[in-house]
Structures are given as structure tokens and as C-alpha cells.
Amino acid sequence: MPAKSILATIVAFVFATGVAAEAPQPVTLDPIEHTDAQLVIIAADGTAQTYTPATLEALPTYRVRTTTPWRDEPVDFDGVLLSDLLEANGLHLTDEINVIAENDFSTTIPRALWDTVPVLVATRVDGRAHTRRERGPIQFIIDKGSYTASPVVSERHLVWMAARIKVE
Amino acid sequence: MQATSRTQGTVERISALFLRRRTVVACIIAILMTCFVAGYYVQVTVTNLRSTHQSLNDRQLRNGYIAISDLHRLVLIIQEAAVRGKMSDEAVADFRAASDFLFVRMDTFRRIQSRGDFLKEADDAIAALRRAQAVADDAIANDFRDLDADAAALIEHTQIAREALVIYLDRMRQLQDNLLFGQTAAVENQRTVVWVILLGLSVLGIAATTLLRKEVMAKQARQAAEERVRHLAFFDPLTGLPNRVQFQDRLSELLAQKTALALLLVDLDGFKQINDTYGHAAGDDILRHVAAALGPYRTPDGGFAARLGGDEFAVVCISEDIPLLSQICDDVIAAIADPIVFEGEAVGVEASIGLATKTQIGRQVAHTVDGLTRVADFALYASKSNGKRQFTIYDEVLEHQFLERRAMVEELPQAIADGSLDYYLQPKVDMTTEEVFGFEALARWRRNGVIVPPSAFIGIAEESGLIADIDCSILSNATRDIANFNLCHGTSFSISVNFSTLHFSSLKFVETVKHALLASGLQPDLLTIEITETAEMQDWGKAKQVVSAIHDLGAKVSIDDFGAGFSSLAYLRTTVADEIKIDRSLVQDIETSDTSRFLLDAVLDIARNLGLDATVEGIETRRQADIVLEMGARKAQGYFFSRPMPRDDALAAAMTTDQPLLQRPAS
């Protein structure tokens, strides 16, 4: 068994037994006008799939109410799960992904994270279209409970203005 | 060697220093103070580091750099538009996005900054960013109507913001340097503290180890010394055999526990000669050899061998089987007689044994260690008397002799005190004048109505130490009686008193003679001290001093039994005698033997040549008297003239002049 799988199993066990995180709730979203933005998913073979906030919401949508390191008051974030998005593109079994923001920020997210923690790819805040000045239009959100409890999660995984997901 | 001694001295001084309670307390306080100061110093350093670290983290630095990048992106878009003279829709979108980036960056910057300590440079940078952001927002709100002015204003504020960010980043770099410096200093401080503590602990460890080692060595030395003392208390260090103390303890226990038990007292024959001839090292080898020969008689049932002192050993056997014990005695004698090689020479020694068993002791002897040892010693004495290198078993005959001897020892002091131990007088005759010129006082003991000859009790008296009392008593009485007789009758009889050579080991004896002369009033030249020669006289030098002191008193010294002793010629060499008394053994055959006559003549010749008076003893016949007279001897003594008689009889006979002495039959 690969070391990463073992780590994932341990992390899953920890979360299943010790973390009282608030799970994202499925939600149905009415169409709205979104800020212009794109999330391009680039597979290892170079093929790319481009999503706008609207096309992202074609996937099952969920709602998470939480604070973030930049929000003192909790708000409702709506969007799709990263795991669903990756699975829709056949990338859910990959070991890690590289996420790049519009301002060229870049970070790596291991599979243990999306396998154990629900990562929401948020496109709306409190029902409104997510804006750049609110760290949108596409932002990776993890509810505070999971964020605090998970040993895998760090602030750098809460990517804002996400622009690309790339698999090496 | 000196260096080692100095080092030991230093260690001793340090150990003594650390053994003082005050020093130990001072060391502990010093170490505690050092640890406290070091700990406080480290804590202060850590606190400073934590404070510095709170003001600085990588996100703050990264945020500053990204803010500059965001500013650059914004300026680049509007500058390109200004060059083109128009803001395209795409440029507007990019400018909006860049403005949003800057907005978010500023917000992030502010939030990160709000978590840490207040930094003026950060506030200045955020304010500058906010102003640049406001200019950008104004340009967007005005739809870039005055593009050049918007670009100029934005460039100006961007420049201000960039400068503020550079100052902020420089401040961050300083903090980073301080952090690194602080970390380095903290590590160095920790290193110093660790060194100090290690040094202190090492010193304490060395001191503790030294003290522990010293204590352990002292304890081992004490244990060894105690063990040595215990061993010396109960074992003979030379042979390793139990000593007299242990012998007595164990024999006492065995006497109480065992019904059958035998004691062999082993005494070496001629051991003194070995010491004199080969030295004490040879003597020690002989003693070890004897111990090895006796060692096998240590048995599981309690039998053991011991060295009682000198050349005296003992073997205790848990048996009274006489044939077996006899065999043991033979084996011991044979084993001891087996010579050893000392410095290439075969040296041998022989042994005599006295054997006594517990049940053979009669009722009149106590069944104690002392009782058993005494009877075994008596048997040993018998072995010695019968020719040595043999063993004697203590039996009824010996017990009778033993009891008789013990009775004599017990009675002798009383006999001396009540006068029953008296003296007889035997005249000494001048054969030329046929007159008695003096007497020899001879001890006699009237015991239970029977006169006991000296040969029966003198040896016992010598062994028991009573001989001095006997000799002194006779000296005192004889000088007093002769002096009184001479005074009353106008005679000048001399008196000769026998003394054992045992007296000649101390000048105290001279005082005894002096006191007798003073007390009696006898003319000193009428007193002759006759030395009864024995082989035991050890200190010839001391004997010569005593003889000289007697001469100084005016008394004379005579060598008794000359010719029959152990070293008569040696006496002549070392003593300053006035007279020799020629032993009867040289006289008894002169009537029939030319050799005897020749020997007697030679001895008389020696006496003449040395200027000594000679008195011939043992004259028993007229013929002997004639021959001796023909040889030139003038003084004689013997049964032919008179046997020893009671004092008054002898003196009365001497005063009788009706018949010449040479014509008298022996009385």
C-alpha cells in the first residue's frame, strides 16, 4: 500500500471519529449573472476543460456556512465540490493537483485533502455572484471546523481567484 | 614517583575539601545559581525571539512583494493604454481585475498585519496602497476620460506606495536579520549553558567518583585489615596453622563434645642449632615444612594441627585408638625428619612427641585444655629425656611421675619458707696440709621425713622458676652460718654455693650476692660462687659482666663439674673464673687408666697455665688422693674425705684434729 494511501486512511479515520465538521449541504441554485471568470482544468495529457462559474454550477451544488481567515462573520458559500469536479474530469484518483490563481499564485493540493475534507469550489456568497474583491469569482472554501481539525489543510489551500487546475 | 606522590596529595586535598559539608553546600548553591541564571538568560532570549517572530513571517514578506507586483501590473496596463492613447475594453477589464487584485492584496495585507505587533512601516505601506487603490478606482469610475492624467496620478501614487513597501520590506528584512541573529545568539547561549552545566556536572561527577573510589578503597582496606587482624588473632602468620588461641578454643570445644580425643604435642629437636647454623630464614622454612607435615591431620570430624609457639606444635586427633595414634606419631616423626633443601643444602630436623588421650587422664588431673596440655607436655618431656626422636604415651607410670612432679612444684615454695629445704656441707680439703679449708653447700630437701637429693628436684625447680629462690636461700643461710662459725671459732672456712647459669643473665643476681655478704658479715674472699654449667646459657657477654661484678665484690667464681659439661673450654675463654672444679668423671678411672691420668694431668696443667685454682672432685679412695697429689693438685673434695653432712656435723668434724684427713676412711 502506498504511503500516501496509508496517510489518507489515517486522516479519514481521524476525521470520521474526532472531527465534528459541518458537511456541505446540497443546494439548488437559481441562475444568476456571474462575474466574468474561467477555471481551466488541464489534464496530464494536456487536454483542457474550461469552466465558467455558471458551467461549474451544472455539477451538484452545495452550500457551506463558515468564516474564513479573511471574514470575521460567517457567510453562505455556494458552489461545487472539488472532488466532484475532479471526478467529472477523471482526475479524482490523481495524487495531487496544482491550482493557479489569476494573480499567478500557485499551490499544490494533495489527494488526501479532497478525499477527507469537503472542499467547496465556491461561485456565490450569500446567494450573490462571487466578486474578485471578495476573493472570487471562484474560491476554494473549507468550513472552519474541518479547516481547524485537519492536519492536511493549510491557508494556502484556500485559493482565491482560482484560474487553473493542472495535473502533472 | 614524586609526581605520583604529588598527584595523590592533590587528590587527597581535593577529597578532603569535598568531604566538608560547607564545601558541598557551596557547590550545590553555585550550580543552582548557575542553572538559574543560565535558564533566565535563555528564557529572555526565547521571549525576544518569540516577539520578533510575531512581527515577522514569510506571508508578510510575500505579501509585500506581491503587492509591488500588483502595483506594477496596474501601472503597466494604464501606461500601455496611455501610449496607445486609448483604453480598450480588454485593457479596462484587465485594469479592473488588477485593481481588484490590489484591493484584495491590501485587505490581506491589513489582516495579516492586524494579527501581529504594530508596525508603523506596514501601516504606511497599507495607507499608500489604499491611496493608489483610490486613484485606480477613480480612474475606473471616470471611465478613463483623462487617460494621461489618470496614468500620471496612478504612477505617482504607485511610486509612493512602492517606496513605502520597500521601506516596509526593508524593515521586514531587518526583523528577519534580527530573528536570525537572535536565533544564532540563542543557540550560542544554549551552547554556553550546556557547556557550563556539563562542566559543573563533570566536576561534580569526578569529585563524586573520586570520593566514591576513595571510600570504596578505604572500605576494602578496612575489610582487608580486619580480615588480617581476624586471621592473625587465630592463625600463625608463618605457617598458616591455627595459633595457640584458636588451639585452646577448639580443643576446649572438642573436650566438651567428644568422648575420645588425643593430643600430640610435637617439639623439634635441635631447632635452635638450625637457627644458629643456617639463620632464621632456614628456621622459618623448617617450621613451614613441619606445618606441611602436620597439615594432613586436619580432619572433617574436628581434628586439626596448630602451632603453639616457637618450635612447638600440636595435633588434635578425634580418636583414642592407641595403635592408630602410634602410627600417626611415627608418621609425623618420619615426615618431619624428611630434610628440606635450603640454599642448596639439605637441612633436617627431628621431633619428639608427647601423646595424651582424654580418657587416660586420671581423676587428679582436670579434663581441661590446660590439664590435657600439661600431661602431653610431660610425656613430651619424657620423650626428650629418653633420647629424642620418639613419642611417649602418657600412661599410669607417667601419670605417677607427673603427679609427683606437680606435688614437688606445689610443695617447694613452702619447703623454702619453712626450712625443710636446707643444705648440707661437704668439706673441701687442702691435701698438702691435710686440713679442711672450706665447704661446698649442697641443697637437700627433707620431704616427708626423707632426704631428697638435688637431682630429684633441681630440674623441677629450674623449670618452675623456683631455682632462684632455692639458690638465694642457701646462699643467705650458708654465708650467715659460716660467718657466724668463723666468728665464734676464729676459723676462716670458705663456703662455695652452687648457682645455675640461669642466674647469670641478669646483674640483679649480683645484688643478691652483695646483700648476702653484707647481711652475713662474711669476708668476701671466703665466698665462692660455683657456676653449674648447663647448655642453656645463651648470653655469654652478660655472664661475663656478672662474673666481673662478683669479682668486684671480692667474691670468687668457680666453674663446677669442669670436664663433664657442654662447653667447658668456652667457659675458660669467656669467663674470668678463679677456680675450676674438675669433675669426678675425670678422676674415677685414674687408678687403672693411663688415659684418665693423662687427661686429668692435662686439665690440671691447663688450670696452672691459666693461673686458676683447681679442686678435684670425686676423690673416693686413698689411691686416687695419692695420684692427684702426685700430679700437683692441692685441693680436693670427695667421699674419701667426707660425704655431705648436716651443717653442724660437718663443721664439728672439721674442727676435729685427732686423725689426719688422708688417713681417714671415707665416712
Side-chain angles (χ1 to χ4, degrees):
Chain A
M1 184 180 286
K4 288 181 179 176
S5 300
I6 294 172
L7 179 62
T9 305
I10 293 171
V11 171
F13 176 78
V14 169
F15 270 79
T17 57
V19 178
E22 188 179 346
Q25 301 299 315
V27 65
T28 302
L29 300 175
D30 293 330
I32 60 169
E33 186 177 348
H34 287 282
T35 307
D36 285 343
Q38 287 184 337
L39 178 62
V40 181
I41 298 175
I42 304 167
D45 59 2
T47 57
Q49 176 66 42
T50 302
Y51 290 90
T52 65
T55 56
L56 276 174
E57 289 176 358
L59 296 169
T61 52
Y62 294 86
R63 173 168 293 167
V64 171
R65 184 171 182 80
T66 184
T67 59
T68 69
W70 312 283
R71 286 181 182 273
D72 298 328
E73 298 298 325
V75 293
D76 289 333
F77 289 98
D78 299 331
V80 300
L81 292 177
L82 175 62
S83 54
D84 290 346
L85 178 61
L86 293 174
E87 188 172 1
N89 288 276
L91 303 175
H92 59 290
L93 297 179
T94 190
D95 290 336
E96 60 183 24
I97 57 172
N98 192 26
V99 182
I100 301 109
E102 290 176 352
N103 62 358
D104 299 330
F105 168 79
S106 170
T107 190
T108 299
I109 297 176
R111 178 181 163 189
L113 182 60
W114 70 76
D115 272 354
T116 58
V117 179
V119 181
L120 189 72
V121 181
T123 52
R124 305 187 189 195
V125 177
D126 283 340
R128 293 178 282 104
H130 209 357
T131 66
R132 284 190 175 81
R133 297 209 171 188
E134 290 179 302
R135 292 181 166 76
I138 297 169
Q139 182 181 10
F140 284 33
I141 294 294
I142 297 171
D143 77 275
K144 187 175 181 182
S146 300
Y147 178 82
T148 306
S150 172
V152 184
V153 178
S154 77
E155 190 178 316
R156 62 187 296 106
H157 294 141
L158 304 179
V159 182
W160 68 75
M161 299 177 194
R164 292 191 298 280
I165 294 176
K166 193 173 181 181
V167 177
E168 298 293 338
Chain B
M1 185 72 84
Q2 285 181 345
T4 305
S5 178
R6 277 199 298 274
T7 305
Q8 286 178 345
T10 305
V11 170
E12 289 292 325
R13 283 195 294 277
I14 292 173
S15 300
L17 191 65
F18 272 91
L19 282 173
R20 292 182 193 163
R21 183 177 296 174
R22 191 179 300 172
T23 307
V24 173
V25 171
C27 285
I28 291 172
I29 290 174
I31 288 171
L32 288 176
M33 288 290 291
T34 304
C35 290
F36 177 76
V37 170
Y40 177 76
Y41 192 49
V42 169
Q43 181 59 39
V44 168
T45 306
V46 169
T47 303
N48 289 338
L49 275 177
R50 189 174 290 130
S51 175
T52 306
H53 198 263
Q54 280 179 353
S55 303
L56 172 73
N57 60 53
D58 62 335
R59 285 187 309 160
Q60 289 171 311
L61 276 173
R62 187 161 49 83
N63 222 49
Y65 287 118
I66 294 175
I68 291 175
S69 173
D70 289 341
L71 285 171
H72 181 70
R73 188 198 314 270
L74 199 63
V75 169
L76 189 63
I77 293 169
I78 201 167
Q79 276 185 323
E80 286 178 354
V83 169
R84 286 195 303 269
K86 179 186 176 187
M87 280 291 279
S88 63
D89 291 342
E90 187 181 357
V92 170
D94 288 344
F95 191 84
R96 281 178 182 275
S99 178
D100 291 344
F101 294 166
L102 185 61
F103 178 87
V104 171
R105 180 59 49 199
M106 187 176 61
D107 180 61
T108 304
F109 201 163
R110 183 177 54 76
R111 286 183 173 278
I112 290 172
Q113 196 58 38
S114 67
R115 296 175 194 170
D117 292 345
F118 171 78
L119 265 181
K120 180 178 179 300
E121 292 84 353
D123 282 353
D124 292 345
I126 291 169
L129 284 173
R130 185 176 291 119
R131 285 193 293 273
Q133 174 69 51
V135 170
D137 284 350
D138 287 347
I140 293 169
N142 294 331
D143 227 6
F144 303 101
R145 279 195 293 270
D146 189 352
L147 187 57
D148 291 337
D150 291 339
L154 189 59
I155 288 169
E156 180 187 352
H157 284 89
T158 300
Q159 183 62 31
I160 293 169
R162 189 181 290 120
E163 289 173 358
L165 282 169
V166 168
I167 292 170
Y168 164 75
L169 289 171
D170 191 56
R171 174 66 177 148
M172 286 290 106
R173 190 184 53 76
Q174 286 179 10
L175 289 175
Q176 194 174 34
D177 285 348
N178 290 343
L179 188 65
L180 286 172
F181 179 79
Q183 287 174 335
T184 304
V187 171
E188 287 177 345
N189 290 338
Q190 286 175 346
R191 183 188 62 186
T192 304
V193 169
V194 167
W195 274 117
V196 168
I197 291 174
L198 282 178
L199 190 63
L201 290 177
S202 299
V203 169
L204 277 184
I206 290 169
T209 305
T210 304
L211 286 176
L212 186 64
R213 181 173 178 273
K214 185 183 175 189
E215 186 62 28
V216 168
M217 289 179 71
K219 190 174 180 183
Q220 287 176 340
R222 275 199 304 276
Q223 287 176 339
E226 288 168 3
E227 185 60 33
R228 175 77 174 154
V229 167
R230 273 198 294 274
H231 192 269
L232 285 176
F234 296 104
F235 289 90
D236 170 46
L238 178 64
T239 61
L241 290 177
N243 63 9
R244 182 180 286 275
V245 173
Q246 189 181 169
F247 164 77
Q248 289 176 328
D249 290 347
R250 290 173 68 173
L251 182 55
S252 179
E253 288 177 12
L254 290 172
L255 281 170
Q257 294 168 359
K258 309 286 185 183
T259 53
L261 183 149
L263 171 63
L264 285 68
L265 283 186
V266 182
D267 192 85
L268 303 185
D269 304 328
F271 180 68
K272 179 177 177 298
Q273 280 74 13
I274 289 175
N275 269 337
D276 292 344
T277 307
Y278 299 98
H280 288 280
D284 290 348
D285 281 359
I286 286 288
L287 293 174
R288 281 190 282 265
H289 164 67
V290 174
L294 301 181
Y297 298 103
R298 177 182 179 183
T299 56
D301 57 0
F304 67 98
R307 184 186 176 203
L308 304 185
D311 59 348
E312 192 179 357
F313 293 82
V315 178
V316 175
C317 299
I318 312 302
S319 171
E320 293 199 353
D321 182 354
I322 296 300
L324 172 66
L325 294 170
S326 299
Q327 184 60 50
I328 290 174
C329 289
D330 284 335
D331 292 346
V332 167
I333 290 170
I336 291 174
D338 193 13
I340 65 166
V341 176
F342 180 76
E343 293 181 351
E345 252 187 279
V347 180
V349 69
E350 293 180 342
S352 300
I353 298 176
L355 168 61
T357 60
K358 182 180 176 182
T359 54
Q360 279 179 324
I361 303 175
R363 290 183 178 177
Q364 297 183 53
V365 178
H367 285 218
T368 60
V369 173
D370 188 55
L372 187 60
T373 305
R374 278 172 182 256
V375 298
D377 196 44
F378 193 72
L380 173 63
Y381 179 78
S383 295
K384 293 275 190 185
S385 301
N386 293 332
K388 303 181 180 176
R389 196 181 175 177
Q390 57 186 281
F391 68 92
T392 301
I393 301 172
Y394 183 81
D395 54 14
E396 290 179 358
V397 176
L398 272 185
E399 175 143 299
H400 176 73
Q401 295 174 4
F402 174 76
L403 294 174
E404 179 67 10
R405 180 176 179 276
R406 193 174 69 177
M408 283 189 177
V409 171
E410 290 172 353
E411 293 172 17
L412 266 174
Q414 182 59 35
I416 296 167
D418 64 15
S420 58
L421 198 151
D422 202 355
Y423 67 93
Y424 276 23
L425 292 175
Q426 186 177 30
K428 296 169 77 173
V429 176
D430 184 334
M431 289 188 293
T432 57
T433 61
E434 299 186 10
E435 290 179 348
V436 174
F437 66 90
F439 300 91
E440 179 181 0
L442 297 165
R444 291 292 186 273
W445 183 9
R446 185 178 296 278
R447 182 168 178 258
N448 301 326
V450 177
I451 298 297
V452 180
S455 58
F457 66 87
I458 289 297
I460 296 170
E462 285 185 338
E463 290 172 19
S464 60
L466 292 169
I467 189 67
D469 293 339
I470 294 173
D471 288 348
C472 292
S473 172
I474 292 174
L475 173 68
S476 175
N477 293 337
T479 51
R480 181 196 62 215
D481 294 342
I482 294 298
N484 289 339
F485 189 86
N486 286 341
L487 184 65
C488 291
H489 298 86
T491 56
S492 297
F493 289 132
S494 66
I495 181 70
S496 298
V497 182
N498 290 286
F499 278 89
S500 168
T501 49
L502 296 176
H503 295 290
F504 285 73
S505 58
S506 169
L507 287 170
K508 189 179 175 185
F509 169 64
V510 180
E511 292 300 316
T512 304
V513 176
K514 184 178 178 182
H515 181 264
L517 287 171
L518 289 173
S520 64
L522 183 71
Q523 278 182 244
D525 61 345
L526 296 179
L527 174 63
T528 300
I529 303 298
E530 293 191 7
I531 302 173
T532 306
E533 183 186 7
T534 68
E536 281 73 21
M537 192 156 90
Q538 307 278 335
D539 192 346
W540 290 88
K542 180 65 75 179
K544 193 172 180 180
Q545 284 182 23
V546 172
V547 169
S548 298
I550 291 171
H551 279 153
D552 291 343
L553 293 175
K556 296 175 182 175
V557 175
S558 172
I559 298 173
D560 198 10
D561 300 332
F562 185 85
F566 297 89
S567 48
S568 299
L569 293 175
Y571 266 89
L572 294 181
R573 178 172 54 83
T574 57
T575 64
V576 189
D578 302 284
E579 177 191 51
I580 58 172
K581 293 183 75 176
I582 297 169
D583 188 71
R584 62 192 303 117
S585 60
L586 296 179
V587 177
Q588 59 191 6
D589 293 331
I590 57 173
E591 295 169 271
T592 57
S593 168
D594 292 339
T595 304
S596 295
R597 282 197 297 273
F598 175 76
L599 279 174
L600 179 59
D601 194 34
V603 171
L604 288 169
D605 199 37
I606 288 172
R608 276 192 293 273
N609 289 335
L610 290 175
L612 299 173
D613 276 346
T615 300
V616 182
E617 293 182 302
I619 302 295
E620 295 183 352
T621 64
R622 172 60 184 271
R623 177 63 182 150
Q624 288 174 342
D626 290 340
I627 294 172
V628 169
L629 189 58
E630 286 171 9
M631 287 181 180
R634 193 165 64 89
K635 298 177 180 177
Q637 186 179 343
Y639 286 3
F640 173 69
F641 306 111
S642 174
R643 288 175 177 271
M645 290 187 291
R647 177 192 58 199
D648 294 340
D649 295 347
L651 289 171
M655 296 299 289
T656 303
T657 57
D658 55 345
Q659 188 174 8
L661 284 169
L662 290 177
Q663 294 173 12
R664 292 179 186 174
S667 55

